[in-house]
Amino acid sequence: MQIRSLGYRTDLALLQAGGSEISDHGDHLVVRSPHNPTHWWGNFLLLAEIPPAEAVENWLKRFAAEFPEADHCTFGFDGIAGRVGDLAGFAGRGFAVEAQTVMTAGSVHPPRRRDTTAEYRALSSDEDWAQSVELNMRCNDTFDTDYHRGYVTSKVSTQRRLVEAGLGRWFGAFADGQLRCQMGLYRAEPTLARFQSVETDPDFRRRGLAGALVFYVSRFGFDELGVRTLVMVADPDYVAIDLYRAVGFVDTESQCQAERGDHGVG
């Protein structure tokens, strides 16, 4: 299956590099992450296109057959211009549906508002990576704690393996020695690098940390990874998208997805 979506293409490249398995069934891919079965977007079906509403039931059965132990149900849809309204067949069955914005940048500039007091650097020590887990927990404190911690711990281990494999780095903004903002950047293809998991401590938002860190990490992508294009996927209805635009990212595609489950971990 030839992937048109820049968002999903880079998603799949990094998932595979992190140990996920991808099998091609012609009109869809099965993406499986045995090392982290609670990662919704590491265990999903990627369909070649958004199916008509009458075909949704058959896809639900296919997902259940592929992931009989899963307590979630997740579908991605290849394409570059999908809209939320196109996913009505899934929304009608209780799915949360999204058309995220795929953004790209071939150059960046400093945002007008940025924090200059924090320390911006790559994570390196065991303590740094432990702080990464705790920051994610603070940013997602509405989830079931035990369930989410297991997912996050496994996800952070995967991110660290990607760093150790030389694909990129995970970065943080530290205030008084504490990790307050984090994100990763990894090479997905020779000329493409993909941002991962931009998160800021709820008590440290709107201080210019994230904008400064996005710019810092972007320069790493161009200067050290040697890529030509950076890829970011953002919620079009969340304020962070304006932060990415302020650094130089532009809206390029849309990426459609549908998810449903009991625990609320995506």
Side-chain angles (χ1 to χ4, degrees), residues 21-259:
E21 303 164 358
I22 302 172
S23 55
D24 191 338
H25 296 263
D27 61 350
H28 71 285
L29 302 180
V30 177
V31 182
R32 197 183 308 275
S33 299
H35 58 288
N36 194 354
T38 61
H39 181 197
W40 286 16
W41 291 103
N43 298 275
F44 70 101
L45 300 188
L46 178 62
L47 280 55
E49 58 186 7
I50 299 172
E54 60 269 22
V56 170
E57 181 62 28
N58 286 334
W59 284 111
L60 298 184
K61 291 177 181 177
R62 183 57 188 262
F63 185 94
E66 293 287 353
F67 300 98
E69 303 300 322
D71 54 13
H72 70 277
C73 192
T74 40
F75 295 94
F77 309 96
D78 190 26
I80 62 174
R83 300 168 299 175
V84 168
D86 300 332
L87 301 172
F90 286 87
R93 290 177 174 269
F95 282 80
V97 298
E98 292 182 287
Q100 296 185 316
T101 300
V102 180
M103 313 180 79
T104 58
S107 63
V108 291
H109 51 262
R112 285 184 297 176
R113 184 168 179 266
R114 56 174 172 157
D115 183 285
T116 58
T117 63
E119 178 188 10
Y120 300 95
R121 62 173 176 84
L123 275 59
S124 58
S125 67
D126 290 344
E127 181 183 352
D128 286 347
W129 287 102
Q131 286 202 52
S132 177
V133 172
E134 297 309 318
L135 176 55
N136 184 284
M137 294 298 294
R138 291 195 298 277
C139 291
N140 298 280
D141 61 1
T142 60
F143 295 145
D144 177 275
T145 301
D146 293 336
Y147 184 92
H148 189 66
R149 182 174 290 278
Y151 154 73
V152 172
T153 301
S154 181
K155 191 70 163 47
V156 168
S157 294
T158 299
Q159 303 292 4
R160 191 171 186 176
R161 286 199 303 272
L162 293 179
V163 171
E164 293 167 351
L167 292 180
R169 293 181 191 165
W170 198 266
F171 295 87
F174 292 80
D176 298 323
Q178 297 299 306
L179 182 63
R180 299 303 185 185
C181 181
Q182 65 177 342
M183 61 194 68
L185 184 68
Y186 300 111
R187 183 188 291 107
E189 296 180 11
T191 63
L192 291 175
R194 171 69 184 269
F195 272 84
Q196 299 278 280
S197 303
V198 178
E199 296 175 327
T200 304
D201 189 312
D203 292 336
F204 284 78
R205 291 173 182 168
R206 304 183 191 283
R207 301 189 185 191
L209 286 173
L213 189 58
V214 169
F215 175 71
Y216 179 88
V217 176
S218 296
R219 291 308 326 161
F220 160 78
F222 293 129
D223 299 339
E224 298 190 44
L225 288 183
V227 300
R228 293 199 297 267
T229 303
L230 306 177
V231 181
M232 177 88 74
V233 177
D235 181 344
D237 300 318
Y238 188 59
V239 295
I241 196 169
D242 292 327
L243 179 155
Y244 309 142
R245 289 169 178 153
V247 176
F249 283 81
V250 296
D251 301 6
T252 305
E253 300 175 358
S254 65
Q255 176 176 309
C256 289
Q257 62 185 51
E259 63 179 30

